[in-house]
Amino acid sequence: MSKKQALTEFHRGSILAAAERLFAEKGIDKTTMDDIARESEYSKATLYVYFQSKEEIINAIFLSGLVLLQRKLQEAIDTAANWYEAYEGMCAAVVRYYGERPEACGVLVNGGAGLQEDAHLDQEVRDILRVRRSIGQLLADFLRQGAQEGLIRLDLRAEELVLLFWSALEGIVRMASQRDAYLGQTLEVDRDVFLRHGCQMLLHAITNPAPAEEAAQPE
Amino acid sequence: MSKKQALTEFHRGSILAAAERLFAEKGIDKTTMDDIARESEYSKATLYVYFQSKEEIINAIFLSGLVLLQRKLQEAIDTAANWYEAYEGMCAAVVRYYGERPEACGVLVNGGAGLQEDAHLDQEVRDILRVRRSIGQLLADFLRQGAQEGLIRLDLRAEELVLLFWSALEGIVRMASQRDAYLGQTLEVDRDVFLRHGCQMLLHAITNPAPAEEAAQPE
Amino acid sequence: MSKKQALTEFHRGSILAAAERLFAEKGIDKTTMDDIARESEYSKATLYVYFQSKEEIINAIFLSGLVLLQRKLQEAIDTAANWYEAYEGMCAAVVRYYGERPEACGVLVNGGAGLQEDAHLDQEVRDILRVRRSIGQLLADFLRQGAQEGLIRLDLRAEELVLLFWSALEGIVRMASQRDAYLGQTLEVDRDVFLRHGCQMLLHAITNPAPAEEAAQPE
Amino acid sequence: MSKKQALTEFHRGSILAAAERLFAEKGIDKTTMDDIARESEYSKATLYVYFQSKEEIINAIFLSGLVLLQRKLQEAIDTAANWYEAYEGMCAAVVRYYGERPEACGVLVNGGAGLQEDAHLDQEVRDILRVRRSIGQLLADFLRQGAQEGLIRLDLRAEELVLLFWSALEGIVRMASQRDAYLGQTLEVDRDVFLRHGCQMLLHAITNPAPAEEAAQPE
DNA sequence: TATGAATGAGGGTTCATTCAT
DNA sequence: CATGAATGAACCCTCATTCAT
């Protein structure tokens, strides 16, 4: 019984992985169910055995990605020695996350493919929204913590700052994904370096310009 | 001859205006050529007299938008009394620009609908890239100017910082567009206020934390 | 302008004619849009230029058929010398009508493909229902006329009797259509003769068994 | 061996019962094999152990229904005190039969889903046809009996009259099923009353208008 | 025997694009 | 030049049926 569930989960996973690859490569809209079927090496009809619709596949990807991201963020916080280290870790998590899932850019921003249309959002969408809220909380708490330690200038409500910070970071990561070539050729900057610079820049955006402690800042 | 060209330009403009309205309203992908024909009050076939494809319409809109944005940015620089004022003006221009063209989000980032696919980019795409480069130059110069005045911390190459700054700003504006409802209801923050906060935050990200001059900062 | 309309009407007619042929041959459900496209010698996409959906094609056929039937019934009444002759003419009209449109069997019965589902019936469906009501009125008046002349035994409300009579007749015609072979081979009765017998039988079902006037009955 | 057969029969029965429920509820075409599997609590594949195809299920239902109907009709004849009572009983049986199996409407008319297409009808279809013939015989005999008693006007061959009568009745029952709402709301007639009226009307259609004996007619 | 799993073959519908006039 | 008309190519989704276990 558990074996069956495991198998089902395996197939769902294979399909999602294939879809994710294609979404990353060609974008969600331009990826067809036929594409996913071909890439996952199932028949198109089989896709519909494991998912009710393309929408469900999209949402499942968003959801699992979000859950993973949440875990990574929590881990970064838990394992870090201090606030700055945690900040670094979290940024790294986000960067890696979006690097692998460029199509997910915007989930935090628009809430799972603009689903607000339907008054009665289905369970999956509700889950997405819930996890997103949860991540927002996590980040807000993190910022408050930084503020308490006197590191962060919190002249706005933490929730608002989270949104600002997050969207800015997302913008940067998106740029890094989409203009990889430009970065390398024209700017002669490695993608990873570019992103590290971005995280540093955003750190400046929120840190208290406390002259003395500046030295403590990593790198 | 010149008259004919003018007429052609007029028709192209009408079509682009209609398309722009629709793109802003429903998004690019969900806007059909039928929609554009109806809105522009031309026949669908006529659209193909003035544009070779839907793609060309999209690119033309991106291009004209970019040109307009460039002008606005230049104006902001030219009319501002000092660097900070120029910064404010430029941010306002960007915000207004994206507010009216939510679909344009990403042009600066991905270069006209991800056209890198084709090895032989057509003229229009080349134009887009050129203007984009030009805007990048404008901003880089602006940052260098700020650095010379001692206002900006320029620990990266100006071109790279431009990219970082710009993508962050774009991310914020995008967020503001797409989660308007959330901002209002949950965060109780007006869109415009949110964006002003964003611009301020990004200003902190790049300014030199020069204690004495902080007072000179607007607002 | 009128020419254009005429042409449109022509194409719609061609498509409807093709659809009608196929519906009669294979039934509505088993007729695909591809079939209709092939039979009408238009491309499948062209079908959607002239009709919004398969449903609209079905309804258009029902509606035009019903309108035609109504006209034929009215003609039968208008041109008949007396009630019995009118009865004969009307039966003949119905028989011919269903003979050519076996798929229409049941329109009067179930109201255009069971459309009651949608609360907001569209114009076409409303038209169907209106014409159907109108035909019902026509028949009810006809029965009342027969009753006034002392020919018809009207021990029920005319409207109810209409429904009974009509559905019985429809049943008979349907049978005649579907078991053509059986009629000919086993029963050795021609379809037309069978139907004439049916109409006579139903006439007995509603006529007053007035002994004296029986002779006046046709045939 | 016999035990195994009994078991097989049991399973077939369960499946047929489930299918019948669904056919009555949603119609044959809109009932999927998945539906039947769910309702019968077998797996979909098991359905194919007991039936070769959906078609076979449909035919089995038609056949069993027809057999049942035959028995009911025979009972009505056997238990009735006189011809009129038998007529009443038979009508009631038919009405009840179709009321519970709206999907069966037409079996007698079109012979098991229009199977004449295949030159080599399979056993099941042959059975259906046989029972149908048998029922036809039953009814023809019944009519002849009525004629002998001087009640029925038999100016046609009994077999033809059976077909006429039967198809008319079927048409009425079908109407009653499909326009239940209309009957109640517009006509303010109960379904059962409507059907009783229908049976009476059809009785007039075939009875001899013998003035004196009219009083003997039930109700 | 019983079934979970898989699928081929369509179903209706959409849309960017072409072409004769 | 402007357009009405037509369409090929997809798109998402469904379902009766098969097959390995």
Side-chain angles (χ1 to χ4, degrees), chain C residues 63 120-130:
Chain C
L63 179 55
H120 64 305
L121 316 111
D122 68 347
Q123 186 53 43
E124 209 166 25
V125 177
R126 265 200 302 270
D127 283 349
I128 290 178
L129 296 178
R130 186 169 44 71

Side-chain angles (χ1 to χ4, degrees), chain A residues 29-30 106-111 117 132-133 153 155-157 159-175 178-179 181-183 186-190 193-195 197-202 204-206 209 211 214, chain B residues 29-30 55 106-111 113 116 132-133 153 155-157 159-175 178-179 182-183 186-189 193-195 197-202 204-206 209 211 214:
Chain A
D29 281 347
K30 297 205 171 146
V107 206
L108 291 166
V109 140
N110 67 19
E117 303 156 5
R132 187 172 75 175
R133 237 174 354 248
R153 173 177 32 78
D155 44 12
L156 301 173
R157 285 189 53 206
E159 280 74 18
E160 189 186 351
L161 190 55
V162 163
L163 229 54
L164 283 172
F165 178 86
W166 189 271
S167 52
L169 181 54
E170 206 173 88
I172 289 171
V173 179
R174 189 194 298 251
M175 165 81 77
Q178 291 181 325
R179 291 186 59 185
Y182 176 73
L183 290 178
T186 310
L187 230 49
E188 292 173 352
V189 177
D190 184 58
V193 175
F194 179 76
L195 286 168
H197 289 165
C199 292
Q200 264 174 54
M201 184 187 87
L202 290 182
H204 280 116
I206 55 174
E214 197 107 18
Chain B
D29 280 347
K30 293 196 175 156
E55 178 102 22
V107 207
L108 291 165
V109 141
N110 66 21
Q116 267 73 3
R132 188 170 75 175
R133 232 166 8 242
R153 172 177 33 77
D155 44 12
L156 302 172
R157 282 188 54 205
E159 280 73 17
E160 189 185 354
L161 189 55
V162 163
L163 228 54
L164 283 174
F165 178 85
W166 189 271
S167 53
L169 182 54
E170 206 173 89
I172 289 171
V173 179
R174 190 193 297 253
M175 164 80 78
Q178 292 181 324
R179 289 187 60 185
Y182 177 72
L183 290 179
T186 310
L187 230 49
E188 291 173 353
V189 177
V193 174
F194 179 78
L195 286 168
H197 290 165
C199 292
Q200 266 174 53
M201 186 186 86
L202 290 182
H204 282 116
I206 56 175
E214 197 107 19

Side-chain angles (χ1 to χ4, degrees), chain B residues 72-86:
Chain B
K72 293 285 181 182
L73 290 175
Q74 190 63 59
E75 275 176 29
I77 291 177
D78 292 344
T79 63
N82 59 46
W83 195 90
Y84 285 123
E85 210 177 299

Side-chain angles (χ1 to χ4, degrees), chain D residues 24-45:
Chain D
E25 188 187 328
K26 329 167 39 172
I28 291 179
D29 280 347
K30 293 195 175 157
T31 297
T32 70
M33 292 299 271
D34 268 290
D35 292 333
I36 299 176
R38 214 172 301 120
E39 176 80 12
S40 66
E41 298 186 289
Y42 290 88
S43 95
K44 200 173 13 166

Side-chain angles (χ1 to χ4, degrees), chain B residues 31-38 44 47-48 53-54 57:
Chain B
T31 297
T32 70
M33 291 299 271
D34 267 291
D35 291 334
I36 300 176
R38 215 173 301 119
K44 200 172 15 164
L47 265 39
Y48 285 87
S53 66
K54 187 185 182 185
I57 291 180

